[in-house]
């Protein structure tokens, strides 16, 4: 089930603002504060800002309606500890300040109140830190998992789980050619902070951590005789520092014994020797002996019963597993979701509470993920349309939180005139854009039904819902071409039917530049142009078979 918890709003602040006694619980003081707040918000236009925190009419009413004497104690503790308060309300993480409230973690009732909000902020902060590859701060963040109850752990660890899913996908499919093109893909393995981070993950991540080691082992076997033995040895040394199962540990040690010896031989190739042939003959003899030993080792290893055993000479290379968008239900739900956004774009003056969202912010907080969580190719997007934009990337990966219901969704907000870097896997998934103005919180959140292939009429789970809480408040109807026509990103040699796609690259060709996309509009029509070594194409067949051309802005004016 998708969480609908939003950022924390302190009810205590409302009593302080209205000059009511807030030191202890008082139903009379709360009642008076509610009346004062409702009157003030009505005069201010449905929302007021207190201490840089916005409160809507619904916030003020709901927050003061649901508190009781026990929960008031918890809210008072939170309000008194600014580090915890800022973390819950703003997603500001300061480990030293947050630690000042640790003394209350023994209090079960306090944790029950704080847990759902803490889980939400934990997930948001973790997503930002993963995107920045700031594993030192992630280590500090993991010190505070005591605030998260088991029932809220799924919400709390969504971004971390997404990062590890993407990492495993990348390791499983990383080719030598791709690695040579961007060696930084594996730089993280040499970070001690990253090693500490992955070892400190909660126990729920044990099996995922084992998968990371397994994929690294297979990667090393694929890269032997391509990468230097010394480099592979250094990777194996780092893998020895990861907490994993006994079999993985034994395989890492076994493989490194051979590779370390090879690295020593490799390092000796550049030494100065006499003009005689002693050194040459010695190396030749050694290599003959080594090959014979490895052949014997290969024969004995092949007799092992374990299907997961590795063979350094055979170098088994399983072709990369590229997941395709073949799941009918996920694709249908994707189309339905986009249709909802398209229909909202055509409605004028939706009732929303305006909210500022910066470039890089998450527009769909309860079910969208940070594009920065994907460890793939980076693409820079410049938005010069005159409208704010929402980037949506549906990626076909297995085993994510909404698998079977909806493809993995990465989304981000790009303000007009801003530049944002996103990450995509060429040849996988579909990219869409929504454009508009007046971003805000819908007065009536919209539930979107998703067909559930694993549900049944008997258990009443033929469908599940996700809740759309924010969208644009457009003054004019917008025909959103790029909610109907997906954009694909491929490598230059990818085989797609050119008759069904429009090449968006400059002059229809790739270049050696870093990939970039420029969003512009002219005469009311949004256009997408691309440059760089990746191929960017628009599907000419609409998701709803629409024949519209371009995005008509301002009703064509």
């Amino acid at each position: 089930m998708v969480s609908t918890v939003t950022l924390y709003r302190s009810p205590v602040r409302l009593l302080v603002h209205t000059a009511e006694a807030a030191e202890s619980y008082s139903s009379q003081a709360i009642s008076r504060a509610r009346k004062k707040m409702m009157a003030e918000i009505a005069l201010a236009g449905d929302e007021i800002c207190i201490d840089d925190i916005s409160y809507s009419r619904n916030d003020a009413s709901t927050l003061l309606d649901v508190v009781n004497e026990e929960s008031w104690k918890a809210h008072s503790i939170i309000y008194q500890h600014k580090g915890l308060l800022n973390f819950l309300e703003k997603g500001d993480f300061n480990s030293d300040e947050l630690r000042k409230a640790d003394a209350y973690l023994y209090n079960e009732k306090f944790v029950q109140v704080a847990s759902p909000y803490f889980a939400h902020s934990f997930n948001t902060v973790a997503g930002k830190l993963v995107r920045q590859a700031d594993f030192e701060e992630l280590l500090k963040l993991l010190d505070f998992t005591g605030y998260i109850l088991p029932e809220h752990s799924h919400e709390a660890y969504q971004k971390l789980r997404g990062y590890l899913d993407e990492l495993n996908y990348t390791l499983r499919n990383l080719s030598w050619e791709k690695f040579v093109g961007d060696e930084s893909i594996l730089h993280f393995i040499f970070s001690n902070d990253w090693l500490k981070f992955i070892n400190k993950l909660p126990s729920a991540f044990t099996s995922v951590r084992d998968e990371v080691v397994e994929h690294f082992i297979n990667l090393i076997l694929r890269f032997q005789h391509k990468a230097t033995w010394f480099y592979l040895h250094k990777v194996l040394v780092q893998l020895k520092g990861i907490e994993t199962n006994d079999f993985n540990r034994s395989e890492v040690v076994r493989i490194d014994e051979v590779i370390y010896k090879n690295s020593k031989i490799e390092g000796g190739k550049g030494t100065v020797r006499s003009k005689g042939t002693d050194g040459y003959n010695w190396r030749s003899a050694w290599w003959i002996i080594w090959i014979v030993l490895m052949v014997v080792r290969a024969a004995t290893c092949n007799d092992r019963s374990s299907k997961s055993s590795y063979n350094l000479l055979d170098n088994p290379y399983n072709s990369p597993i590229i997941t395709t968008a073949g799941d009918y239900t996920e694709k249908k739900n994707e189309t339905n979701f986009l249709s909802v956004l398209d229909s909202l774009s055509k409605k004028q003056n939706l009732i929303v509470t305006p909210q500022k969202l910066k470039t890089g912010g998450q527009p769909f907080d309860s079910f969208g993920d940070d594009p920065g969580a994907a460890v793939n190719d980076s693409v820079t997007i410049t938005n010069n349309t005159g409208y704010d934009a929402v980037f949506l990337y549906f990626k076909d990966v297995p085993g994510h939180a909404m698998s079977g219901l909806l493809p993995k969704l990465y989304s981000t907000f790009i303000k007009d005139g801003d530049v944002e870097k996103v990450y995509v896997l060429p040849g996988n998934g579909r990219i869409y854009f929504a454009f508009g103005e007046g971003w805000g919180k819908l007065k009536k959140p919209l539930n979107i039904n998703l067909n559930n292939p694993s549900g049944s009429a008997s258990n009443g789970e033929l469908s599940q819902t996700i809740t759309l809480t924010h969208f644009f408040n457009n003054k004019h109807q917008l025909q959103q071409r790029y909610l109907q026509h997906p954009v694909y990103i491929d490598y230059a040699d990818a085989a797609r039917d050119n008759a069904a796609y429009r090449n968006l690259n400059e002059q229809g060709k790739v270049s050696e530049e870093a990939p970039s996309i420029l969003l512009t509009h002219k005469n009311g029509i949004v256009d997408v142009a691309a440059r760089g070594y990746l191929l960017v194409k628009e599907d000419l067949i609409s998701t709803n078979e629409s024949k519209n051309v371009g995005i008509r802005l301002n009703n064509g004016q």
Side-chain angles (χ1 to χ4, degrees), residues 294-361:
M294 289 298 98
V295 170
V296 173
R297 175 71 175 268
T300 57
C301 286
N302 286 341
D303 289 337
R304 293 174 62 179
S305 59
S306 172
K307 293 182 180 179
S308 299
S309 63
Y310 304 101
N311 187 307
L312 281 172
L313 290 180
D314 286 346
N315 189 22
Y317 175 37
N318 296 325
S319 298
I321 302 170
I322 304 297
T323 308
T324 59
D327 188 293
Y328 173 76
T329 302
E330 284 191 1
K331 285 285 292 180
K332 184 176 181 181
N333 286 333
E334 174 186 322
T335 301
N336 290 342
F337 173 76
L338 295 168
S339 296
V340 171
L341 299 188
D342 193 21
S343 65
L344 286 177
S345 299
K346 297 174 183 177
K347 292 184 178 180
Q348 299 179 31
N349 298 318
L350 284 173
I351 303 177
V352 304
T353 300
Q355 290 191 354
K356 293 182 179 180
L357 189 58
K358 297 180 180 178
T359 293

Side-chain angles (χ1 to χ4, degrees), residues 117-274:
Y117 301 104
F118 197 94
H120 178 86
S121 291
F122 185 99
N123 188 48
T124 301
V125 172
K128 292 178 182 177
L129 295 177
V130 162
R131 182 177 183 178
Q132 298 164 1
D134 192 344
F135 298 109
E136 182 180 0
E137 283 297 295
L138 277 167
L139 267 173
K140 297 177 183 178
L141 182 64
L142 288 171
D143 285 337
F144 300 97
T145 55
Y147 282 96
I148 302 167
L149 294 174
E151 56 265 34
H152 303 127
S153 61
H154 181 81
E155 163 78 6
Y157 304 141
Q158 180 183 351
K159 305 289 187 182
L160 293 180
R161 195 177 297 108
Y163 163 71
L164 291 171
D165 287 346
E166 291 293 331
L167 177 59
N168 278 325
Y169 187 89
T170 297
L171 293 174
R172 184 171 67 243
N173 295 288
L174 184 61
S175 67
W176 173 249
E177 291 73 22
K178 174 69 180 299
F179 171 69
V180 171
D182 183 8
E183 295 177 5
S184 66
I185 292 174
L186 297 183
H187 281 180
F188 67 91
I189 189 62
F190 301 108
S191 164
N192 288 330
D193 285 333
W194 182 84
L195 287 179
K196 294 175 184 177
F197 154 72
I198 198 168
N199 284 334
K200 198 172 184 177
L201 289 169
S203 58
F205 289 89
T206 299
S207 61
V208 182
R209 184 167 52 234
D210 288 342
E211 287 181 32
V212 171
V213 177
E214 290 169 11
H215 290 314
F216 257 116
I217 291 173
N218 282 318
L219 184 76
I220 288 168
L221 297 177
R222 296 201 303 272
F223 282 10
Q224 63 176 334
H225 304 302
K226 297 177 181 177
T228 64
W229 295 115
F230 181 78
Y231 179 85
L232 298 179
H233 165 63
K234 286 297 184 183
V235 173
L236 285 162
V237 169
Q238 294 298 100
L239 290 182
K240 290 178 182 179
I242 299 179
E243 296 177 6
T244 185
N245 58 54
D246 291 341
F247 178 77
N248 280 350
R249 277 197 295 269
S250 66
E251 286 298 280
V252 170
V253 171
R254 180 180 73 82
I255 295 170
D256 191 39
E257 286 178 356
V258 176
I259 286 183
Y260 177 67
K261 292 176 181 177
N262 292 346
S263 70
K264 287 297 187 182
I265 299 167
E266 180 181 60
K269 288 180 179 178
T271 58
V272 177
R273 295 184 180 274
S274 66

